[in-house]
Amino acid sequence: MSEKVSGIDNQKEGGSHDTESKKCYDSVDEAKFNFQLLKDRLLNINNWQSYSGEITTSFQLFDEKGEELKTMAKLGDFIRIDIPGLGSFEGDGYDWVKVTKIDENPYEDDERCLIVCVPSVNPTAENAQDIAHFFTNKASSNFIVRRKDKCIYAEIHGRNEVSNLKTENIPDKIRNAVVSIMSRLGISKIQWKSLAEGLLDYK
């Protein structure tokens, strides 16, 4: 059963996952300094692949007009995800999510930054209507970095991961079923664990 996490959707249907990495320091001041670096890394989505080491999935930030961005993530931006293997036809070879929430408010005695992403249409395609992702837009990927006392944490939580089988594109329907099954079997967990540890340890 997935854990309850403040600020993200409760698990209701489909698959879910929870990933957490932790790093502690000798003093609160050192932890505070490294938390600010960690938060910058989280918001710098274009660099996520470099944080992930050998994992080859890449991420690129786009605006609502389908133009590439070189900035930190903000509400309403889109993320193009390039997963090795067969890409989505609807997404022009990629999967797409939209940033629907960025919350930098502390929670209880934690410093915290949260990014919530949901599967979306392809912003580079004219009049796109179908979700260009292997999950439906009921799913969410929730990225959290936080500090508690002398320790900092990187967390990734997937919720309500339902296979996207409603697309009229038959190859995408087959591909989405296969990729979502692989994700639930733990393939995505490897990716997210690598990213969480990389966010904490990147030099």
Side-chain angles (χ1 to χ4, degrees):
M1 184 175 179
S2 60
E3 62 182 80
K4 281 195 172 184
V5 180
S6 174
I8 75 172
D9 291 339
N10 291 330
Q11 174 64 20
K12 297 177 181 177
E13 60 181 315
S16 67
H17 67 84
D18 298 285
T19 298
E20 179 184 293
S21 293
K22 171 183 177 182
K23 189 170 185 177
C24 297
Y25 296 89
D26 293 333
S27 68
V28 170
D29 286 344
E30 190 177 5
K32 286 182 176 181
F33 175 80
N34 281 281
F35 172 74
Q36 293 304 315
L37 297 178
L38 176 60
K39 186 168 70 171
D40 287 346
R41 292 182 201 130
L42 177 68
L43 294 169
N44 192 0
I45 288 170
N46 291 341
N47 276 358
W48 279 7
Q49 184 180 21
S50 65
Y51 305 147
S52 300
E54 297 180 359
I55 301 299
T56 55
T57 298
S58 66
F59 305 86
Q60 174 64 51
L61 202 63
F62 284 74
D63 65 16
E64 61 183 7
K65 297 178 180 178
E67 300 292 332
E68 288 191 19
L69 296 172
K70 305 297 183 183
T71 58
M72 298 290 193
K74 63 183 183 302
L75 187 65
D77 287 345
F78 292 81
I79 303 171
R80 186 186 72 187
I81 306 169
D82 187 4
I83 300 172
L86 180 62
S88 161
F89 287 93
E90 192 68 37
D92 292 329
Y94 305 98
D95 291 279
W96 292 86
V97 297
K98 185 176 184 179
V99 178
T100 59
K101 183 177 183 180
I102 296 180
D103 184 0
E104 298 187 55
N105 294 320
Y107 176 68
E108 295 181 348
D109 57 346
D110 291 1
E111 290 187 89
R112 193 177 85 150
C113 179
L114 163 68
I115 299 177
V116 179
C117 301
V118 301
S120 72
V121 298
N122 173 5
T124 68
E126 291 187 13
N127 303 316
Q129 296 182 344
D130 288 343
I131 297 298
H133 195 280
F134 52 88
F135 290 141
T136 71
N137 58 358
K138 293 180 180 180
S140 66
S141 294
N142 307 273
F143 304 88
I144 298 172
V145 295
R146 62 186 180 92
R147 181 193 63 83
K148 187 175 181 66
D149 298 325
K150 298 178 183 180
C151 297
I152 59 176
Y153 301 79
E155 304 175 19
I156 302 166
H157 305 277
R159 293 291 182 268
N160 302 307
E161 296 175 336
V162 177
S163 302
N164 180 14
L165 304 180
K166 294 182 179 180
T167 176
E168 296 181 2
N169 187 303
I170 300 302
D172 266 358
K173 186 176 292 190
I174 296 171
R175 177 258 183 191
N176 291 347
V178 171
V179 175
S180 61
I181 290 171
M182 291 175 63
S183 177
R184 291 183 191 177
L185 289 175
I187 301 300
S188 65
K189 179 88 170 178
I190 297 171
Q191 162 72 59
W192 297 135
K193 186 64 175 179
S194 179
L195 176 59
E197 293 181 349
L199 287 168
L200 291 176
D201 294 331
Y202 186 77
K203 303 298 182 183

